[in-house]
Amino acid sequence: MTITPPALSVFETLESEVRSYCRGWPAVFDRAQGARLTDEDGHSYLDFFAGAGSLNYGHNNPVLKRALIDYIERDGITHGLDMATTAKRAFLETFQNVVLRPRDLPYKVMFPGPTGTNAVESALKLARKVKGRESVVSFTNAFHGMSLGSLAVTGNAFKRAGAGIPLVHGTPMPFDNYFDGQVPDFLWFERLLEDQGSGLNHPAAVIVETVQGEGGINVARAEWLRALQDLCHRRDMLLIVDDIQMGCGRTGGFFSFEEAGITPDIVTLSKSISGYGLPMSLCLFKPELDVWEPGEHNGTFRGNNPAFVTAAAALDAYWADGQMEKQTLARGEQVEQTMLAICGEHDSASFRGRGLVWGLEFEDPARASAVCARAFQLGLLLETSGPQSEVVKLLPPLTITPEELDEGLRTLARAVRETA
C-alpha cells in the first residue's frame, strides 16, 4: 500500500504547533471499528496504538456503542457533576461486584475529573493531606501526567521543562533494574531514609507504575513491587500505583499489580476505564484514607454519565466471567514469539513486556522512529516511547483477533527488516 500524505492545510495553519501524533501519521482519519481505522481516502490501518491505551476494547465496540446509544436516545443525564444519577449508581454497583469484591479490594471510589492527570493530582493531594507531609517519591523514567503536580513526579526532562516553573516536592529513585542488577533493590532509598543528613524529607507517599509505558515499557518484577510495598509499610509512606495505562486488563489482570499480590493504598485509573474512549478517571483508596472535606477536590466534568454507561457495559461484557485475562495472556504469548524471532534476526534489538503491552528497543534510538514511519506506510499504527524514543511500543486493543494480531506483527517484522 502506498499512502500519499493529504493536504493538511487547516491543521497546519490554524492548529497549534503542539500537535504531535498527527505528525507521525499524516492522514485524516474518518472512521474506525475494532482494531482498524480508515482515513478519508479509504485506506485502512491496523491499530497497535489503541488511543494510547484508552481503547482496550477497540474502536466503536458494538456492545458498548449499543448501551451508549440507548442511553442517549432515552435522554439520560449527560452532565451531572457529582450528583447521584442512575448511570453512576449502575457503574458503582457493577465496579464493586465485578472488580472490587472478587479481588477482596476494600477501596472507596472517587471521581476526580475526566483525565488521568486529574486522578494523579487527587492521589498526591490525598496522600499529603493524610500524612501531613509534602515530599513524594517517584521513579526514574516515570510518567504520571502533564499538570504541575503530575509533572513533578514525572522523569522525562522534555516534558518537565514545559512546566516553566520549578517542580518541587518530588524526589526520584531508581526504578527496578535501573542499574542492570548491579545494585541491591532500594539500597539508595533506604540509606536516604535512615540518614538524618541525607536531605530527604520524610515522604508522604511513593508513586509507581508497574510497567512504565511512556518511559520505555520498563517492567517491574513482582518481587520488586512486593519489596516496595514492604518498604512503604515499614517507613510510614503510602503506596500509590498509577494504573492509568496498564490497568483495565492491559497486562492481564484487571489491575496490573494483581500479579505481585500487593494491595496499594491508592490506585489511579483512567484511559480504558470508560471502555469507549470517553473521558473518565478514578482515584481508589483504602477507606481509612477518606479524609476529604466535601468539595475539597472537584471538577466540572467529573460526572461524565455516558462514560459511566459504557464503563458498566464493558465490565459486564468482558470482566464478569474471567475470560479476558486468559485471552490477553494468550495474545501476549503470540506477541512474544514474534519478538523473539525479530530479535533473533536483528542483534541490535531487544524486547520486554507483559500481557498486551510490549516494547522493541534498538541500540540506535533513531531506528525506532524509522520503524514506526515505515509501519505507517504499510498500514500499521505504532508509536515510540522511552527517554530517547528508542522503543517501538505495541499497544493493540485487547479484543484484537489472533489473525489481526498476526497481520500486525508480520507488518512490524517487515518494517524492522526494511529499515535495517
Side-chain angles (χ1 to χ4, degrees):
M1 177 173 65
T2 301
I3 298 170
T4 302
L8 299 175
S9 57
V10 71
F11 305 109
E12 294 171 344
T13 60
L14 186 59
E15 192 179 359
S16 166
E17 292 299 318
V18 78
R19 64 192 188 281
S20 60
Y21 290 114
C22 59
R23 298 179 188 274
W25 302 327
V28 179
F29 297 103
D30 182 50
R31 292 175 291 113
Q33 209 288 314
R36 296 185 185 274
L37 292 90
T38 305
D39 69 19
E40 62 181 353
D41 295 322
H43 297 121
S44 177
Y45 302 81
L46 197 55
D47 186 5
F48 273 27
F49 174 64
S54 63
L55 294 166
N56 280 3
Y57 312 105
H59 296 268
N60 288 303
N61 182 288
V63 176
L64 312 188
K65 180 166 64 174
R66 184 72 264 160
L68 179 59
I69 290 172
D70 289 347
Y71 184 76
I72 293 171
E73 286 186 338
R74 73 168 185 81
D75 291 331
I77 299 292
T78 295
H79 181 272
L81 293 143
D82 65 1
M83 294 183 290
T85 65
T86 55
K88 183 197 280 190
R89 180 174 60 201
F91 167 72
L92 285 170
E93 290 174 348
T94 303
F95 191 69
Q96 184 175 48
N97 292 332
V98 175
V99 176
L100 297 181
R101 279 180 178 159
R103 294 163 179 79
D104 197 27
L105 294 172
Y107 297 132
K108 298 288 290 291
V109 179
M110 174 183 178
F111 300 100
T115 70
T117 199
N118 290 139
V120 170
E121 294 285 357
S122 67
L124 298 176
K125 286 170 65 174
L126 180 60
R128 288 167 171 142
K129 181 178 175 66
V130 168
K131 292 300 183 182
R133 303 192 291 267
E134 298 174 349
S135 177
V136 173
V137 164
S138 57
F139 290 95
T140 51
N141 291 310
F143 178 78
H144 296 290
M146 297 296 281
S147 52
L148 292 179
S150 301
L151 276 177
V153 289
T154 287
N156 187 282
F158 174 74
K159 292 179 172 65
R160 289 175 61 88
I165 63 171
L167 296 171
V168 297
H169 308 308
T171 302
M173 292 290 167
F175 191 70
D176 190 16
N177 204 38
Y178 187 72
F179 294 111
D180 300 319
Q182 300 301 307
V183 178
D185 296 338
F186 308 114
L187 176 67
W188 177 241
F189 195 176
E190 290 260 27
R191 182 65 182 270
L192 291 180
L193 290 169
E194 293 169 355
D195 186 356
Q196 295 300 304
S198 71
L200 176 66
N201 294 330
H202 190 181
V206 175
I207 185 168
V208 67
E209 304 155 275
T210 65
V211 180
Q212 295 181 327
E214 292 298 308
I217 318 302
N218 305 313
V219 182
R221 294 166 297 139
E223 55 267 34
W224 187 86
L225 292 168
R226 288 191 290 268
L228 177 61
Q229 177 176 259
D230 177 67
L231 174 60
C232 288
H233 289 171
R234 287 188 288 106
R235 297 291 184 171
D236 187 31
M237 302 178 294
L238 297 178
L239 176 60
I240 304 169
V241 168
D242 181 341
D243 232 6
I244 287 165
Q245 188 169 80
M246 299 304 158
C248 302
R250 177 54 58 180
T251 65
F254 186 85
F255 295 106
S256 70
F257 55 80
E258 291 180 46
E259 181 191 43
I262 64 173
T263 303
D265 299 293
I266 304 174
V267 180
T268 60
L269 287 175
S270 187
K271 292 195 182 285
S272 276
I273 188 58
S274 80
Y276 202 73
L278 299 175
M280 178 179 174
S281 73
L282 303 177
C283 185
L284 313 176
F285 40 82
K286 293 179 178 178
E288 62 269 24
L289 304 181
D290 195 7
V291 298
W292 292 114
E293 296 292 333
E296 192 173 7
H297 184 93
N298 57 36
T300 303
F301 296 102
R302 65 192 184 280
N304 186 356
N305 282 254
F308 297 157
V309 171
T310 54
L315 295 177
D316 276 332
Y318 294 103
W319 292 98
D321 61 3
Q323 292 306 304
M324 177 56 76
E325 179 174 356
K326 296 177 183 178
Q327 177 178 300
T328 298
L329 294 175
R331 300 284 192 274
E333 291 176 1
Q334 189 177 346
V335 177
E336 186 173 12
Q337 292 306 307
T338 297
M339 291 295 204
L340 284 167
I342 290 174
C343 293
E345 186 178 338
H346 303 272
D347 292 341
S348 63
S350 60
F351 73 94
R352 51 191 176 265
R354 275 179 58 194
L356 272 178
V357 53
W358 293 84
L360 182 63
E361 182 175 2
F362 294 94
E363 292 177 3
D364 176 7
R367 180 87 178 278
S369 295
V371 168
C372 290
R374 181 57 182 146
F376 173 77
Q377 294 172 345
L378 298 171
L380 176 66
L381 300 186
L382 292 166
E383 71 164 334
T384 61
S385 69
Q388 301 180 76
S389 298
E390 73 277 17
V391 178
V392 175
K393 183 180 181 182
L394 279 66
L395 212 67
L398 306 185
T399 52
I400 194 168
T401 66
E403 295 75 21
E404 289 171 326
L405 186 57
D406 182 62
E407 176 189 340
L409 292 171
R410 283 188 280 108
T411 302
L412 169 65
R414 177 181 171 184
V416 173
R417 285 194 301 271
E418 294 182 357
T419 55

